[in-house]
Amino acid sequence: MIYLKYISSLAIAFIGAHLAEWLHLPLPWLLGPLFITALLKINHAPIECHHSARNIGLSILGLTLGLYFTPQMIQLIASQWHILLLGLLFALGLGGVGSVILYRWGKVDFKTAWFASAIGGANEMSNLAEHYQARVDKVASAHTLRVLMVVVSIPFFYQFMGWHGIDHSTMSRHSDVDGYGLVLLAFLAYVASRIFQYYKLPNPWTFGALLVAILLTMQDIHLSAIPTPILHLGQVLLGWSLGNKFKPDFFKTAPHYLTVVALSNLGALLLTALLAYGISFWTDIPLPTLGLGLSPGGVAEMALTANVLQLGVPIVTAFHVVRMVGVLGTVGYLYRLFEHKTER
């Protein structure tokens, strides 16, 4: 019976995708399943998402993104290293400001505020919160709300501005699909992701597949493109899994705390827009691409947005990969540095 629940829930997610497409919403294959799943979950509907759905969706996305990393794109990214470093410093700054806001007005201790505000992966931040004995539930809910706000607001804003298809230079050179090559590509991605998972590396199902596709593409080895139906499936699985995080009591457990989180996220989005606008005057990266690269969203969701809107996929992916690695590598050290100054 449990598998019947998963099958029916996935069917509902696909219905949400088609409905969103009919309504001409941005990113319909992601946002449609997200909206309909979250709405039903909050209203106590008996639907559920299997834990493997997000892993499969992330692997599809990782392979899709990696196919953009041609030798020319690698050179382009290398030439923009200073912008990528600035993006990392900006993310660390946003996390620091957000932690002060949550600590002062969110009615939580500093360690919880710190890991709830760090612009990193929700799973990784929750694990660090548990290690440092912070409130894991509040950290997880803050990151879930942050990703939701960014994933929803940016595509709608970009649709309003008409920002799509601006950066054609980063489109994949190969579009032919080969069945055997696709199977081999999927197998290599699975093995790499398992290795990442074994060594407890961050975001293994995205980065494992991404690394495989990048290594092949930068050597000009083309096994297969990713068929459009599989791309749509990956988006549906990601939207379905994200919507599944919204339990019936999500917005009722700590309304004051989540309100402060939401206001902090709005401020972060505004600062992101201002920085992207400022940087656009001294770099040749288009403003919409900078906005996606600097945004405080998840690597999967923002890279997917760039892919669907054709906005500098490799640059956006590089921004978020550098940020994730940098934040994960420093957030624990910075917490230990600041904790004694704030909890005296």
Side-chain angles (χ1 to χ4, degrees):
M1 290 297 293
I2 186 65
Y3 290 104
L4 181 60
K5 179 186 290 188
Y6 292 139
I7 293 172
S8 60
S9 300
L10 179 57
I12 291 172
F14 271 102
I15 291 173
H18 286 291
L19 182 60
E21 192 171 42
W22 180 70
L23 293 172
H24 300 289
L25 299 183
L27 276 69
W29 294 91
L30 174 72
L31 295 185
L34 190 162
F35 287 149
I36 197 169
T37 303
L39 180 63
L40 292 174
K41 288 286 290 189
I42 290 174
N43 287 279
H44 303 270
I47 62 173
E48 199 63 52
C49 176
H50 195 275
H51 65 86
S52 64
R54 181 167 178 81
N55 295 342
I56 296 172
L58 291 174
S59 293
I60 293 173
L61 177 62
L63 287 175
T64 303
L65 299 177
L67 296 179
Y68 285 88
F69 283 76
T70 61
Q72 294 80 9
M73 288 304 105
I74 296 293
Q75 294 177 4
L76 174 63
I77 292 171
S79 69
Q80 302 289 351
W81 66 268
H82 54 294
I83 305 295
L84 300 179
L85 179 59
L86 180 61
L88 169 60
L89 296 176
F90 175 65
L92 292 172
L94 281 184
V97 172
S99 65
V100 172
I101 293 173
L102 287 189
Y103 178 55
R104 295 193 62 178
W105 293 289
K107 299 180 180 179
V108 293
D109 57 82
F110 178 71
K111 66 178 70 172
T112 298
W114 179 263
F115 292 108
S117 301
I119 313 298
N123 292 334
E124 289 78 14
M125 290 303 106
S126 296
N127 291 336
L128 283 172
E130 184 176 15
H131 175 75
Y132 286 98
Q133 299 180 334
R135 288 288 302 275
V136 179
D137 57 336
K138 290 189 178 295
V139 171
S141 63
H143 286 288
T144 299
L145 183 58
R146 170 177 62 85
V147 172
L148 175 69
M149 291 181 65
V150 175
V151 167
V152 172
S153 62
I154 288 183
F156 276 98
F157 178 73
Y158 275 39
Q159 184 182 59
F160 174 77
M161 296 296 294
W163 288 346
H164 57 84
I166 294 175
D167 193 351
H168 295 285
S169 65
T170 60
M171 291 297 292
S172 177
R173 295 185 304 161
H174 303 287
S175 59
D176 53 309
V177 177
D178 180 87
Y180 294 109
L182 183 62
V183 171
L184 178 57
L185 197 59
F187 173 75
L188 293 174
Y190 177 79
V191 172
S193 297
R194 281 296 189 185
I195 293 174
F196 269 58
Q197 191 177 46
Y198 178 80
Y199 287 103
K200 298 181 180 180
L201 298 176
N203 212 335
W205 297 98
T206 300
F207 289 167
L210 178 67
L211 179 62
V212 164
I214 288 178
L215 291 177
L216 291 172
T217 304
M218 66 185 296
Q219 298 296 325
D220 208 22
I221 300 174
H222 175 63
L223 297 178
S224 175
I226 308 299
T228 299
I230 293 182
L231 292 177
H232 288 167
L233 173 63
Q235 295 176 55
V236 168
L237 294 176
L238 290 176
W240 180 30
S241 63
L242 183 57
N244 189 67
K245 295 182 178 180
F246 291 86
K247 309 301 181 184
D249 60 346
F250 182 84
F251 293 104
K252 299 177 182 178
T253 51
H256 174 80
Y257 170 73
L258 290 179
T259 299
V260 176
V261 170
L263 292 175
S264 178
N265 288 332
L266 286 175
L269 286 170
L270 178 60
L271 290 175
T272 298
L274 292 174
L275 179 62
Y277 181 73
I279 294 177
S280 67
F281 288 101
W282 53 281
T283 180
D284 55 358
I285 302 176
L287 175 59
T289 301
L290 282 172
L292 289 178
L294 294 170
S295 66
V299 57
E301 292 80 12
M302 290 302 96
L304 174 60
T305 302
N307 179 58
V308 173
L309 298 181
Q310 302 174 15
L311 293 172
V313 178
I315 289 292
V316 172
T317 304
F319 264 113
H320 287 278
V321 170
V322 168
R323 186 198 71 194
M324 174 169 281
V325 173
V327 169
L328 288 178
T330 59
V331 69
Y333 171 77
L334 291 174
Y335 165 70
R336 292 191 295 271
L337 182 66
F338 292 125
E339 65 172 329
H340 299 298
K341 298 181 180 180
T342 58
E343 296 189 343
R344 289 176 179 175

